Amino acid sequence: MKEEKLILDGNRVATAMKEGVVEQIKRLSEKEIVPCLATILVGDDPSSATYVRMKGNACARLGIRSIRVELPSTTTTEELIAEINKLNDDPHVHGILLQHPVPPHIDERAAFEAIRIEKDVDGVTTQGFAQNAFGFADFPSCTPAAIIAILEYYNIPIEGKHAVVIGRSPILGKPVSVMLLNRNATVTICHSKTANLAGLVRLGDIVVAAVGKPNFVQGDWIKPGAVVVDAGYNKGNIGDVDYEACLENASAITPVPAGVGPVTIAALLKHTVEAAERFLTK
């Protein structure tokens, strides 16, 4: 009898998260507070524009106010930081998201650091990263938060498991690694310079693909029974994992689309609402 595979449905997880958020928004409205997310888009990258539009639409469906700041590709680092500071000083804005990537002449790290920690709902500041590493971040990076939410929703054990993370970006690979470590997994971080990559991936009970290359992870890299989380999203709705090939050995796997993506947006909305709730305690 062929073993049943568990498809980790991100839409299902996102729906459950949003149901909780709706109740929070209702309580805030009773106190005349409308959660507000400001998104900043610099330049005219079509993919970035699509992501920002999707986030705005998701806000509207839940009753979260969305402010969209669009800046030309000629914007300087100083001009971008000035816009961020306006949003920092606006008491009606609870979360700020700077869409990545920005044009290459802008110091993206300096721009991220300009976001106040209480409004860093996407977990992009070094202070937010440090808090996440120590296990007490209010708002960890949204895609790592989504990965953990999926594993927890499906009651997939993390403690004592060997997690292999492919990718080391400061807003995905690194933060998800520390989040897994804080949940008592043994974590191996792989990257473009890793020797014997396939061999290391084969050791993973949990494999997180966050490398940004379509169909990069091959089926024979996955040990039988492993859980595969594909955090990649490439042109043509293709993930970082060769889905059909990896499905052969995996016990559970996220699809692309409808895997990590919807949960990432749900995490962003959840963080924005929680930031608005914290505004009440000031």
Side-chain angles (χ1 to χ4, degrees):
M1 184 176 176
K2 193 172 182 179
E3 182 185 357
E4 183 101 17
K5 306 290 184 177
L6 176 60
I7 307 303
L8 305 174
D9 183 351
N11 286 329
R12 182 174 169 184
V13 181
T15 297
M17 291 174 69
K18 290 173 187 174
E19 286 172 354
V21 166
V22 166
E23 290 303 313
Q24 291 171 287
I25 293 171
K26 184 179 177 183
R27 289 194 295 269
L28 285 167
S29 68
E30 292 168 357
K31 298 174 182 177
E32 299 185 340
I33 291 177
V34 179
C36 176
L37 173 67
T39 58
I40 306 171
L41 178 64
V42 186
D44 53 6
D45 179 77
S47 296
S48 293
T50 298
Y51 296 148
V52 167
R53 186 169 60 252
M54 288 170 59
K55 289 163 186 171
N57 291 341
C59 285
R61 284 192 291 269
L62 284 182
I64 296 172
R65 182 172 167 237
S66 177
I67 296 174
R68 184 168 171 173
V69 179
E70 296 185 6
L71 301 173
S73 58
T74 54
T75 300
T76 66
T77 300
E78 292 72 24
E79 289 168 339
L80 174 55
I81 289 174
E83 290 292 332
I84 291 170
N85 283 330
K86 288 180 190 175
L87 298 170
N88 280 332
D89 293 337
D90 187 339
H92 301 293
V93 172
H94 304 107
I96 301 171
L97 182 143
L98 172 58
Q99 183 63 44
H100 168 89
V102 296
H105 67 274
I106 291 177
D107 185 341
E108 185 176 74
R109 178 44 50 193
F112 280 150
E113 295 307 319
I115 301 171
R116 285 190 194 148
I117 186 65
E118 64 267 24
K119 298 190 179 187
D120 179 22
V121 291
D122 201 23
V124 295
T125 62
T126 52
Q127 185 179 354
F129 181 91
Q131 289 179 351
N132 189 31
F134 279 95
F136 61 85
D138 289 330
F139 313 124
S141 299
C142 290
T143 302
I147 291 167
I148 298 299
I150 290 169
L151 295 175
E152 291 181 343
Y153 180 89
Y154 283 98
N155 296 313
I156 292 171
I158 299 174
E159 184 170 337
K161 300 298 182 181
H162 185 180
V164 177
V165 177
I166 312 168
R168 53 176 170 175
S169 82
I171 57 174
L172 211 177
K174 287 178 182 176
V176 78
S177 297
V178 298
M179 293 173 82
L180 290 163
L181 185 63
N182 287 340
R183 287 161 177 77
N184 298 319
T186 298
V187 181
T188 298
I189 305 173
C190 300
H191 47 79
S192 60
K193 307 296 183 186
T194 298
N196 188 30
L197 177 60
L200 288 172
V201 175
R202 287 188 192 103
L203 300 175
D205 302 306
I206 300 170
V207 175
V208 177
V211 72
K213 295 182 180 180
N215 289 330
F216 180 74
V217 178
Q218 301 301 300
D220 62 357
W221 295 12
I222 305 302
K223 81 172 184 180
V227 174
V228 179
V229 180
D230 189 347
Y233 186 80
N234 305 284
K235 190 174 181 180
N237 287 341
I238 298 171
D240 288 354
V241 164
D242 186 334
Y243 181 84
E244 292 299 332
C246 291
L247 186 61
E248 287 295 314
N249 280 335
S251 63
I253 191 169
T254 57
V256 176
V260 175
V263 191
T264 297
I265 292 177
L268 176 66
L269 303 179
K270 179 174 180 285
H271 291 172
T272 301
V273 173
E274 289 172 350
E277 288 180 327
R278 284 172 176 77
F279 182 80
L280 285 173
T281 63
K282 289 186 178 181

